[in-house]
Amino acid sequence: MTAWVRGRVQGVGFRWWTRSRALELGLRGAATNLDDGRVEVVAEGPEVACQRLLDHLRGGGTPGRVDSVVERWAPAGGRFTGFVER
């Protein structure tokens, strides 16, 4: 699952927070700052865990401010061994 998160999500600990939630859910992937101010979240693992991460991203407890989350689902590529911040 890939999610693009728009809002005030850079420079506020959002990627670290996302990594922590993802690791708690047993997911692999990355949270990456994009040049346009969004954060791209790629998560691989069970669909139910990825959906739970999306729920966290859309919930009110994130650092900064989330205005929108757009996701795309695809088969896992298997390229991640942990969850990293980029």
Side-chain angles (χ1 to χ4, degrees):
M1 181 272 306
T2 302
W4 294 272
V5 184
R6 182 177 302 279
R8 190 170 61 86
V9 291
Q10 291 190 11
V12 294
F14 186 84
R15 289 176 302 144
W16 177 89
W17 180 88
T18 299
R19 179 181 178 269
S20 296
R21 300 296 79 77
L23 290 173
E24 289 170 357
L25 294 166
L27 296 170
R28 297 169 311 281
T32 306
N33 281 342
L34 300 178
D35 291 339
D36 64 5
R38 295 178 298 161
V39 170
E40 179 185 68
V41 178
V42 178
E44 295 184 346
E47 183 176 346
V48 66
C50 289
Q51 185 60 57
R52 185 80 189 268
L53 180 60
L54 277 174
D55 293 343
H56 284 302
L57 295 175
R58 291 183 170 125
T62 64
R65 183 192 75 247
V66 173
D67 294 333
S68 67
V69 179
V70 176
E71 83 267 8
R72 180 177 52 112
W73 293 86
R79 64 180 195 219
F80 298 102
T81 57
F83 203 97
V84 298
E85 300 171 49
R86 296 183 180 159

Coordinates of all heavy atoms in Angstrom, one line a residue:
M1 N 0.8 -1.2 0.0 CA 0.0 0.0 0.0 C 0.9 1.2 0.0 O 1.9 1.3 0.7 CB -0.9 0.0 1.3 CG -1.9 1.1 1.4 SD -1.3 2.6 2.2 CE -0.6 2.0 3.8
T2 N 0.6 2.2 -0.8 CA 1.3 3.5 -0.9 C 0.2 4.5 -0.5 O -0.9 4.6 -1.1 CB 1.9 3.8 -2.2 OG1 2.8 2.7 -2.6 CG2 2.6 5.1 -2.2
A3 N 0.6 5.4 0.4 CA -0.3 6.5 0.8 C 0.5 7.8 0.7 O 1.7 7.9 1.0 CB -0.8 6.4 2.2
W4 N -0.2 8.9 0.2 CA 0.4 10.2 0.1 C -0.3 11.1 1.1 O -1.6 11.2 1.0 CB 0.3 10.7 -1.3 CG 1.2 9.9 -2.3 CD1 2.5 10.1 -2.6 CD2 0.8 8.8 -3.1 NE1 2.9 9.2 -3.5 CE2 1.9 8.4 -3.8 CE3 -0.4 8.1 -3.2 CZ2 1.8 7.3 -4.7 CZ3 -0.5 7.0 -4.1 CH2 0.6 6.6 -4.8
V5 N 0.4 11.6 2.0 CA -0.2 12.4 3.1 C 0.1 13.9 2.9 O 1.3 14.3 2.8 CB 0.3 11.9 4.5 CG1 -0.4 12.7 5.6 CG2 0.2 10.4 4.6
R6 N -1.0 14.7 2.8 CA -0.8 16.1 2.6 C -1.2 16.9 3.8 O -2.2 16.5 4.5 CB -1.7 16.5 1.4 CG -1.6 18.0 1.1 CD -2.5 18.4 -0.2 NE -2.1 17.6 -1.3 CZ -1.1 17.8 -2.2 NH1 -0.3 18.9 -1.9 NH2 -0.9 17.1 -3.2
G7 N -0.5 18.0 4.1 CA -0.8 18.8 5.3 C 0.5 19.4 5.8 O 1.5 19.5 5.1
R8 N 0.5 19.7 7.1 CA 1.8 20.1 7.7 C 2.4 18.8 8.3 O 2.2 18.5 9.5 CB 1.5 21.2 8.8 CG 2.8 21.8 9.3 CD 2.5 23.0 10.2 NE 1.8 22.7 11.4 CZ 2.3 22.3 12.5 NH1 3.6 22.1 12.6 NH2 1.5 22.0 13.5
V9 N 3.1 18.1 7.5 CA 3.6 16.8 7.9 C 5.1 16.7 7.7 O 5.7 15.6 7.9 CB 2.9 15.7 7.1 CG1 1.5 15.5 7.5 CG2 3.0 15.9 5.6
Q10 N 5.8 17.8 7.4 CA 7.3 17.7 7.3 C 7.8 18.6 8.4 O 7.3 19.7 8.7 CB 7.8 18.2 6.0 CG 7.5 17.2 4.9 CD 8.2 17.5 3.6 OE1 9.0 18.3 3.5 NE2 7.8 16.7 2.5
G11 N 8.9 18.2 9.1 CA 9.5 19.0 10.1 C 8.8 18.9 11.5 O 9.0 19.8 12.3
V12 N 7.9 17.9 11.6 CA 7.1 17.9 12.9 C 7.2 16.5 13.5 O 6.4 16.2 14.4 CB 5.6 18.2 12.6 CG1 5.5 19.7 12.2 CG2 5.0 17.3 11.6
G13 N 8.1 15.6 13.0 CA 8.2 14.2 13.6 C 7.2 13.2 13.0 O 7.0 12.1 13.5
F14 N 6.6 13.6 11.9 CA 5.5 12.7 11.3 C 6.1 11.4 10.8 O 5.5 10.4 11.0 CB 4.8 13.5 10.1 CG 3.7 12.7 9.6 CD1 2.4 12.8 10.2 CD2 3.8 11.9 8.4 CE1 1.4 12.1 9.6 CE2 2.8 11.2 7.9 CZ 1.5 11.3 8.5
R15 N 7.3 11.5 10.1 CA 7.9 10.2 9.6 C 8.3 9.3 10.7 O 8.0 8.1 10.6 CB 9.1 10.5 8.7 CG 8.7 11.1 7.4 CD 9.9 11.5 6.5 NE 10.7 12.4 7.3 CZ 12.1 12.4 7.2 NH1 12.7 11.6 6.5 NH2 12.7 13.3 7.9
W16 N 8.8 9.8 11.8 CA 9.2 9.0 12.9 C 8.0 8.4 13.5 O 8.0 7.2 13.9 CB 9.9 9.9 14.0 CG 10.3 9.1 15.2 CD1 11.4 8.4 15.4 CD2 9.5 8.9 16.4 NE1 11.4 7.8 16.7 CE2 10.2 8.1 17.3 CE3 8.2 9.4 16.7 CZ2 9.7 7.8 18.5 CZ3 7.7 9.0 18.0 CH2 8.4 8.2 18.8
W17 N 6.9 9.2 13.7 CA 5.7 8.7 14.3 C 5.1 7.6 13.4 O 4.6 6.5 13.9 CB 4.7 9.8 14.4 CG 3.4 9.5 15.0 CD1 3.0 9.4 16.3 CD2 2.2 9.1 14.2 NE1 1.7 9.0 16.4 CE2 1.2 8.8 15.1 CE3 2.0 8.9 12.9 CZ2 -0.1 8.4 14.7 CZ3 0.7 8.5 12.5 CH2 -0.3 8.3 13.4
T18 N 5.1 7.8 12.1 CA 4.6 6.8 11.1 C 5.4 5.5 11.2 O 4.8 4.4 11.2 CB 4.6 7.3 9.7 OG1 3.8 8.5 9.6 CG2 4.2 6.3 8.7
R19 N 6.7 5.6 11.3 CA 7.6 4.5 11.4 C 7.2 3.7 12.7 O 7.1 2.5 12.7 CB 9.1 4.9 11.4 CG 10.0 3.7 11.6 CD 11.5 4.2 11.6 NE 12.4 3.2 11.8 CZ 12.8 2.7 13.0 NH1 12.4 3.3 14.1 NH2 13.7 1.7 13.1
S20 N 7.0 4.4 13.8 CA 6.7 3.7 15.1 C 5.4 2.9 14.9 O 5.3 1.8 15.4 CB 6.6 4.7 16.2 OG 7.8 5.3 16.4
R21 N 4.4 3.6 14.4 CA 3.1 2.9 14.2 C 3.2 1.7 13.3 O 2.7 0.6 13.6 CB 2.0 3.8 13.6 CG 1.7 5.1 14.4 CD 1.1 4.9 15.8 NE 2.0 4.5 16.8 CZ 2.8 5.4 17.4 NH1 2.9 6.6 17.1 NH2 3.6 4.9 18.4
A22 N 4.0 1.8 12.2 CA 4.1 0.7 11.2 C 4.9 -0.5 11.9 O 4.5 -1.6 11.7 CB 4.9 1.2 10.0
L23 N 5.9 -0.2 12.7 CA 6.6 -1.3 13.3 C 5.8 -2.0 14.4 O 5.8 -3.2 14.5 CB 7.9 -0.7 14.0 CG 9.0 -0.3 13.0 CD1 10.2 0.4 13.7 CD2 9.5 -1.5 12.2
E24 N 4.9 -1.2 15.1 CA 4.0 -1.8 16.0 C 3.0 -2.8 15.3 O 2.6 -3.8 15.9 CB 3.2 -0.7 16.7 CG 4.0 0.1 17.7 CD 3.2 1.3 18.2 OE1 2.0 1.5 17.8 OE2 3.7 2.0 19.1
L25 N 2.7 -2.5 14.1 CA 1.8 -3.3 13.3 C 2.5 -4.4 12.5 O 1.9 -5.2 11.8 CB 1.0 -2.4 12.3 CG 0.1 -1.4 13.0 CD1 -0.4 -0.4 12.0 CD2 -1.1 -2.2 13.6
G26 N 3.9 -4.5 12.6 CA 4.6 -5.5 11.9 C 4.8 -5.3 10.5 O 5.0 -6.2 9.7
L27 N 4.7 -4.0 10.0 CA 4.9 -3.7 8.6 C 6.3 -3.4 8.2 O 7.1 -3.0 9.1 CB 4.0 -2.5 8.3 CG 2.5 -2.8 8.5 CD1 1.7 -1.4 8.4 CD2 2.0 -3.8 7.5
R28 N 6.6 -3.5 7.0 CA 7.9 -3.1 6.4 C 7.6 -2.0 5.4 O 6.5 -1.9 4.9 CB 8.5 -4.3 5.6 CG 8.9 -5.4 6.6 CD 9.3 -6.7 5.8 NE 8.3 -7.1 4.7 CZ 7.2 -7.7 4.9 NH1 6.8 -8.0 6.1 NH2 6.4 -8.0 3.9
G29 N 8.6 -1.1 5.2 CA 8.4 0.0 4.2 C 9.2 1.2 4.5 O 10.3 1.1 5.1
A30 N 8.6 2.4 4.1 CA 9.3 3.6 4.2 C 8.4 4.8 4.3 O 7.3 4.7 3.8 CB 10.3 3.8 3.1
A31 N 8.8 5.8 5.0 CA 8.1 7.1 5.0 C 9.1 8.2 4.5 O 10.2 8.3 5.0 CB 7.6 7.5 6.4
T32 N 8.7 8.8 3.4 CA 9.6 9.7 2.7 C 9.1 11.1 2.5 O 7.9 11.2 2.0 CB 9.9 9.0 1.3 OG1 10.4 7.7 1.4 CG2 11.0 9.8 0.5
N33 N 9.9 12.1 2.8 CA 9.5 13.5 2.5 C 9.5 13.7 1.0 O 10.5 13.3 0.3 CB 10.4 14.5 3.2 CG 10.1 14.7 4.6 OD1 9.0 14.4 5.1 ND2 11.0 15.2 5.3
L34 N 8.5 14.3 0.4 CA 8.5 14.6 -1.0 C 8.7 16.1 -1.2 O 8.5 16.9 -0.3 CB 7.2 14.2 -1.7 CG 6.8 12.8 -1.6 CD1 5.4 12.5 -2.2 CD2 7.9 11.9 -2.3
D35 N 9.3 16.5 -2.3 CA 9.6 17.9 -2.6 C 8.4 18.9 -2.5 O 8.5 20.0 -2.2 CB 10.3 18.1 -3.9 CG 11.7 17.5 -4.0 OD1 12.3 17.3 -2.9 OD2 12.1 17.2 -5.1
D36 N 7.2 18.3 -2.7 CA 6.0 19.2 -2.7 C 5.4 19.3 -1.3 O 4.3 19.9 -1.2 CB 5.0 18.7 -3.7 CG 4.4 17.3 -3.4 OD1 4.8 16.7 -2.3 OD2 3.6 16.7 -4.2
G37 N 6.0 18.8 -0.3 CA 5.6 19.0 1.1 C 4.8 17.8 1.6 O 4.5 17.7 2.8
R38 N 4.5 16.8 0.7 CA 3.8 15.6 1.2 C 4.7 14.6 1.8 O 5.9 14.7 1.6 CB 3.0 15.0 0.0 CG 1.9 15.8 -0.5 CD 1.2 15.1 -1.7 NE 2.2 14.9 -2.8 CZ 2.1 14.0 -3.8 NH1 1.0 13.2 -3.8 NH2 3.0 13.9 -4.7
V39 N 4.2 13.6 2.5 CA 5.0 12.5 2.9 C 4.4 11.2 2.2 O 3.2 11.0 2.2 CB 4.9 12.3 4.4 CG1 5.6 10.9 4.8 CG2 5.7 13.4 5.1
E40 N 5.3 10.5 1.5 CA 4.8 9.2 0.9 C 5.1 8.1 1.9 O 6.2 8.0 2.4 CB 5.6 9.0 -0.4 CG 5.2 7.7 -1.1 CD 6.1 7.4 -2.3 OE1 7.3 7.2 -2.1 OE2 5.6 7.5 -3.4
V41 N 4.1 7.3 2.1 CA 4.2 6.1 3.0 C 4.0 4.9 2.2 O 3.0 4.7 1.6 CB 3.2 6.2 4.2 CG1 3.3 5.0 5.1 CG2 3.4 7.5 5.0
V42 N 5.0 4.0 2.2 CA 4.9 2.7 1.5 C 4.9 1.7 2.6 O 5.9 1.6 3.4 CB 6.1 2.5 0.5 CG1 5.9 1.1 -0.1 CG2 6.1 3.6 -0.5
A43 N 3.9 0.8 2.7 CA 3.8 -0.2 3.7 C 3.5 -1.6 3.1 O 2.7 -1.7 2.2 CB 2.7 0.1 4.7
E44 N 4.3 -2.6 3.5 CA 4.1 -3.9 3.0 C 3.8 -4.8 4.2 O 4.5 -4.7 5.2 CB 5.4 -4.4 2.3 CG 5.7 -3.7 1.0 CD 6.9 -4.3 0.3 OE1 7.6 -5.1 0.8 OE2 7.1 -3.9 -0.9
G45 N 2.9 -5.7 4.0 CA 2.5 -6.6 5.1 C 1.0 -7.0 4.9 O 0.4 -6.7 3.9
P46 N 0.4 -7.6 5.9 CA -1.0 -8.0 5.8 C -1.9 -6.8 5.6 O -1.7 -5.7 6.1 CB -1.3 -8.6 7.2 CG 0.1 -9.0 7.8 CD 1.0 -8.0 7.2
E47 N -2.9 -7.0 4.7 CA -3.8 -6.0 4.4 C -4.5 -5.3 5.6 O -4.6 -4.1 5.6 CB -4.9 -6.5 3.4 CG -5.8 -5.4 2.9 CD -6.8 -5.9 1.9 OE1 -6.7 -7.0 1.4 OE2 -7.8 -5.1 1.7
V48 N -4.8 -6.1 6.5 CA -5.5 -5.6 7.7 C -4.6 -4.6 8.5 O -5.0 -3.6 9.0 CB -6.0 -6.7 8.6 CG1 -4.9 -7.5 9.2 CG2 -6.9 -6.2 9.7
A49 N -3.3 -5.0 8.5 CA -2.3 -4.1 9.2 C -2.1 -2.8 8.4 O -2.0 -1.7 9.0 CB -1.0 -4.8 9.4
C50 N -2.0 -2.9 7.1 CA -1.9 -1.7 6.3 C -3.1 -0.8 6.4 O -3.0 0.4 6.5 CB -1.7 -2.1 4.8 SG -0.2 -2.9 4.4
Q51 N -4.3 -1.4 6.5 CA -5.5 -0.6 6.7 C -5.5 0.1 8.1 O -5.9 1.2 8.2 CB -6.8 -1.5 6.6 CG -8.1 -0.7 6.7 CD -8.2 0.3 5.6 OE1 -8.1 0.0 4.4 NE2 -8.4 1.6 6.0
R52 N -5.0 -0.6 9.1 CA -4.9 0.0 10.4 C -3.9 1.2 10.4 O -4.2 2.2 11.0 CB -4.4 -1.1 11.4 CG -4.3 -0.7 12.8 CD -5.7 -0.7 13.4 NE -5.7 -0.1 14.8 CZ -5.4 -0.8 15.9 NH1 -5.2 -2.1 15.9 NH2 -5.4 -0.1 17.0
L53 N -2.8 1.0 9.6 CA -1.9 2.2 9.5 C -2.6 3.4 8.8 O -2.4 4.5 9.3 CB -0.6 1.8 8.7 CG 0.4 2.9 8.5 CD1 0.9 3.4 9.9 CD2 1.6 2.4 7.7
L54 N -3.4 3.1 7.8 CA -4.1 4.2 7.2 C -5.1 4.8 8.2 O -5.2 6.1 8.2 CB -5.0 3.6 6.0 CG -4.3 3.5 4.7 CD1 -5.2 2.8 3.7 CD2 -3.8 4.8 4.1
D55 N -5.7 4.0 9.0 CA -6.6 4.6 10.1 C -5.8 5.5 11.0 O -6.3 6.6 11.4 CB -7.2 3.5 10.9 CG -8.2 2.7 10.1 OD1 -8.7 3.1 9.0 OD2 -8.6 1.5 10.5
H56 N -4.6 5.1 11.4 CA -3.7 6.0 12.2 C -3.4 7.3 11.5 O -3.4 8.3 12.1 CB -2.4 5.3 12.6 CG -2.6 4.2 13.6 ND1 -3.0 4.5 14.9 CD2 -2.2 2.9 13.6 CE1 -3.0 3.4 15.6 NE2 -2.5 2.4 14.9
L57 N -3.0 7.2 10.2 CA -2.6 8.3 9.4 C -3.8 9.3 9.3 O -3.6 10.5 9.3 CB -2.2 7.9 8.0 CG -0.9 7.1 7.9 CD1 -0.7 6.7 6.5 CD2 0.3 7.8 8.5
R58 N -5.0 8.8 9.2 CA -6.2 9.7 9.1 C -6.8 10.1 10.5 O -7.6 10.9 10.5 CB -7.3 8.9 8.3 CG -6.9 8.8 6.9 CD -8.0 8.1 6.1 NE -7.8 8.2 4.7 CZ -7.7 7.1 3.9 NH1 -8.0 5.9 4.4 NH2 -7.5 7.3 2.6
G59 N -6.3 9.5 11.5 CA -6.8 9.8 12.9 C -6.2 11.1 13.4 O -5.4 11.8 12.7
G60 N -6.7 11.6 14.5 CA -6.4 12.9 15.0 C -5.1 12.9 15.9 O -4.7 14.0 16.3
G61 N -4.4 11.8 16.0 CA -3.2 11.8 16.9 C -1.9 11.9 16.2 O -0.9 11.7 16.9
T62 N -1.9 12.4 15.0 CA -0.6 12.5 14.3 C 0.1 13.8 14.7 O -0.5 14.8 15.0 CB -0.8 12.5 12.8 OG1 -1.6 13.7 12.4 CG2 -1.5 11.3 12.3
P63 N 1.4 13.8 14.6 CA 2.1 15.1 14.7 C 1.8 16.0 13.5 O 1.5 15.5 12.4 CB 3.6 14.7 14.6 CG 3.7 13.2 14.8 CD 2.3 12.7 14.4
G64 N 1.8 17.3 13.7 CA 1.5 18.2 12.7 C 0.0 18.2 12.4 O -0.8 18.1 13.3
R65 N -0.3 18.3 11.1 CA -1.7 18.4 10.7 C -1.9 17.6 9.4 O -1.2 17.9 8.4 CB -2.2 19.8 10.5 CG -3.6 20.0 10.1 CD -4.0 21.4 9.7 NE -3.5 21.6 8.3 CZ -2.5 22.4 8.0 NH1 -1.8 23.1 8.9 NH2 -2.1 22.6 6.7
V66 N -2.8 16.7 9.3 CA -3.1 15.9 8.1 C -4.3 16.5 7.5 O -5.4 16.5 8.1 CB -3.2 14.4 8.4 CG1 -3.7 13.7 7.2 CG2 -1.9 13.8 8.9
D67 N -4.2 16.9 6.2 CA -5.3 17.5 5.5 C -6.0 16.4 4.7 O -7.2 16.4 4.5 CB -4.9 18.6 4.6 CG -4.5 19.8 5.4 OD1 -4.9 20.0 6.6 OD2 -3.7 20.6 4.9
S68 N -5.2 15.5 4.1 CA -5.8 14.4 3.3 C -4.8 13.3 3.1 O -3.6 13.5 3.3 CB -6.1 14.9 1.9 OG -5.0 15.3 1.1
V69 N -5.3 12.1 2.9 CA -4.5 10.9 2.7 C -5.1 10.2 1.5 O -6.3 9.9 1.5 CB -4.5 9.9 3.9 CG1 -3.7 8.7 3.6 CG2 -4.0 10.6 5.1
V70 N -4.3 10.0 0.4 CA -4.8 9.2 -0.7 C -3.9 8.0 -0.8 O -2.7 8.0 -0.7 CB -4.5 10.1 -2.0 CG1 -4.9 9.3 -3.3 CG2 -5.3 11.4 -1.9
E71 N -4.6 6.8 -1.0 CA -3.8 5.6 -1.0 C -4.0 4.8 -2.3 O -5.0 5.1 -3.0 CB -4.2 4.7 0.2 CG -5.4 3.9 0.0 CD -6.7 4.5 0.5 OE1 -6.7 5.7 0.9 OE2 -7.7 3.8 0.5
R72 N -3.1 4.0 -2.6 CA -3.1 3.1 -3.7 C -2.7 1.7 -3.3 O -1.7 1.6 -2.6 CB -2.2 3.6 -4.8 CG -2.2 2.7 -6.1 CD -1.3 3.3 -7.2 NE 0.0 3.6 -6.6 CZ 1.1 3.0 -7.0 NH1 1.1 2.0 -7.9 NH2 2.3 3.3 -6.5
W73 N -3.4 0.7 -3.6 CA -3.1 -0.7 -3.2 C -2.5 -1.4 -4.4 O -2.9 -1.3 -5.5 CB -4.4 -1.4 -2.8 CG -4.9 -0.8 -1.5 CD1 -5.8 0.3 -1.4 CD2 -4.7 -1.2 -0.2 NE1 -6.0 0.6 -0.1 CE2 -5.4 -0.3 0.7 CE3 -3.9 -2.2 0.4 CZ2 -5.3 -0.5 2.1 CZ3 -3.8 -2.3 1.7 CH2 -4.5 -1.5 2.6
A74 N -1.5 -2.2 -4.1 CA -0.8 -3.0 -5.1 C -0.1 -4.2 -4.4 O 0.1 -4.1 -3.1 CB 0.3 -2.2 -5.8
P75 N 0.2 -5.2 -5.1 CA 0.9 -6.4 -4.4 C 2.2 -5.9 -3.9 O 2.9 -5.0 -4.4 CB 1.1 -7.4 -5.6 CG 0.1 -7.0 -6.6 CD -0.1 -5.5 -6.5
A76 N 2.6 -6.5 -2.8 CA 3.9 -6.1 -2.1 C 5.1 -6.4 -3.1 O 5.1 -7.5 -3.7 CB 4.1 -6.8 -0.8
G77 N 6.0 -5.5 -3.1 CA 7.2 -5.7 -4.0 C 8.3 -6.5 -3.3 O 9.2 -7.0 -3.9
G78 N 8.2 -6.6 -1.9 CA 9.2 -7.4 -1.2 C 10.6 -6.7 -1.1 O 11.6 -7.4 -0.9
R79 N 10.7 -5.4 -1.3 CA 12.0 -4.8 -1.4 C 12.4 -4.2 0.0 O 13.5 -3.7 0.1 CB 12.0 -3.7 -2.4 CG 11.1 -2.5 -2.1 CD 11.1 -1.5 -3.2 NE 10.5 -0.3 -2.7 CZ 9.8 0.5 -3.5 NH1 9.5 0.2 -4.7 NH2 9.2 1.6 -3.0
F80 N 11.6 -4.3 1.0 CA 11.9 -3.8 2.3 C 12.2 -4.9 3.3 O 11.5 -5.9 3.3 CB 10.8 -2.9 2.8 CG 10.5 -1.7 2.0 CD1 9.4 -1.7 1.1 CD2 11.3 -0.6 2.0 CE1 9.2 -0.6 0.3 CE2 11.0 0.5 1.2 CZ 10.0 0.5 0.3
T81 N 13.1 -4.6 4.2 CA 13.4 -5.6 5.3 C 13.0 -5.0 6.7 O 12.9 -5.7 7.6 CB 14.9 -5.9 5.4 OG1 15.7 -4.8 5.5 CG2 15.3 -6.7 4.1
G82 N 12.8 -3.7 6.8 CA 12.3 -3.0 8.0 C 11.5 -1.8 7.6 O 10.9 -1.8 6.5
F83 N 11.4 -0.8 8.4 CA 10.6 0.4 8.1 C 11.6 1.5 8.3 O 12.1 1.7 9.4 CB 9.4 0.5 8.9 CG 8.3 1.4 8.2 CD1 7.3 0.8 7.5 CD2 8.4 2.8 8.3 CE1 6.4 1.6 6.9 CE2 7.5 3.6 7.7 CZ 6.5 3.0 7.0
V84 N 11.8 2.3 7.3 CA 12.8 3.4 7.4 C 12.2 4.8 7.1 O 11.1 4.9 6.5 CB 14.0 3.2 6.4 CG1 14.7 1.9 6.7 CG2 13.4 3.2 4.9
E85 N 12.9 5.8 7.6 CA 12.5 7.2 7.3 C 13.5 7.7 6.2 O 14.7 7.5 6.4 CB 12.7 8.1 8.5 CG 11.8 7.7 9.7 CD 12.2 8.4 11.0 OE1 12.3 9.7 10.9 OE2 12.4 7.8 12.0
R86 N 13.0 8.3 5.3 CA 13.8 8.9 4.2 C 13.6 10.4 4.1 O 12.5 10.9 4.3 CB 13.5 8.2 2.9 CG 13.8 6.8 2.8 CD 13.6 6.2 1.5 NE 13.9 4.8 1.4 CZ 13.4 4.0 0.5 NH1 12.6 4.5 -0.4 NH2 13.7 2.8 0.5

